[in-house]
Amino acid sequence: MDDYPLLNVFWTMLWFFLWIMWLFLLFKVITDIFRDHSLNGWAKAGWLIFCIVLPYLGVLVYVIARGKSMGARDIKQARESEAAFQDYIRKTAGTQEGGGATAELARLAELKEKGAITPEEFEKAKAKVLA
């Protein structure tokens, strides 16, 4: 370890970090090429070949030329994922728009009137819904 100074260790770590960051950017660009529905097949093939044959230049040109739309596609995908997740939660929880606690209390009152649940069970369930 004496023949490799500390500054060289930091320098090597910096270059390794930059190389890993570039790989992440390369994979991000390649996934964006396939995710973009506005490009036809030939344009996708051209960008992909450009990024594979001349990787540094290809990624740099892609980010300069299409970086703004790449960000817009990321935002759109995040919003769609969030909307799908919220929809899944609503379906799983059984509460749709306009329902919620009011509908649950109405259902509990109906069960109590039919005698399906006792007044004590009704009070416990009501407290749980209102909590």
Side-chain angles (χ1 to χ4, degrees):
M1 189 72 182
D2 294 333
D3 58 338
Y4 201 66
L6 185 62
L7 188 58
N8 285 352
V9 171
F10 288 132
W11 188 246
T12 303
M13 288 173 49
L14 174 71
W15 279 111
F16 183 70
F17 174 76
L18 290 175
W19 181 70
I20 294 295
M21 291 300 296
W22 180 81
L23 279 177
F24 274 105
L25 183 60
L26 176 68
F27 292 132
K28 178 77 172 163
V29 165
I30 290 173
T31 57
D32 188 67
I33 289 171
F34 287 108
R35 183 175 56 179
D36 188 7
H37 298 297
S38 66
L39 289 176
N40 62 21
W42 289 107
K44 288 181 182 184
W47 276 113
L48 190 62
I49 290 170
F50 189 36
C51 287
I52 290 174
V53 172
L54 298 170
Y56 293 108
L57 184 63
V59 168
L60 180 66
V61 171
Y62 187 87
V63 169
I64 291 171
R66 302 185 50 82
K68 195 173 211 179
S69 61
M70 191 165 98
R73 280 186 293 281
D74 280 343
I75 292 170
K76 180 183 173 192
Q77 183 182 14
R79 286 183 181 153
E80 288 173 354
S81 296
E82 180 66 22
F85 179 67
Q86 293 297 330
D87 187 45
Y88 172 75
I89 289 174
R90 277 191 218 89
K91 286 180 183 175
T92 304
T95 57
Q96 297 295 326
E97 297 292 327
T102 307
E104 184 68 22
L105 286 174
R107 188 180 67 79
L108 286 172
E110 184 180 333
L111 288 173
K112 184 178 120 182
E113 289 173 9
K114 290 181 180 178
I117 59 174
T118 64
E120 293 83 22
E121 292 172 332
F122 173 76
E123 291 302 322
K124 286 180 186 177
K126 185 174 86 170
K128 190 175 183 180
V129 168
L130 294 176

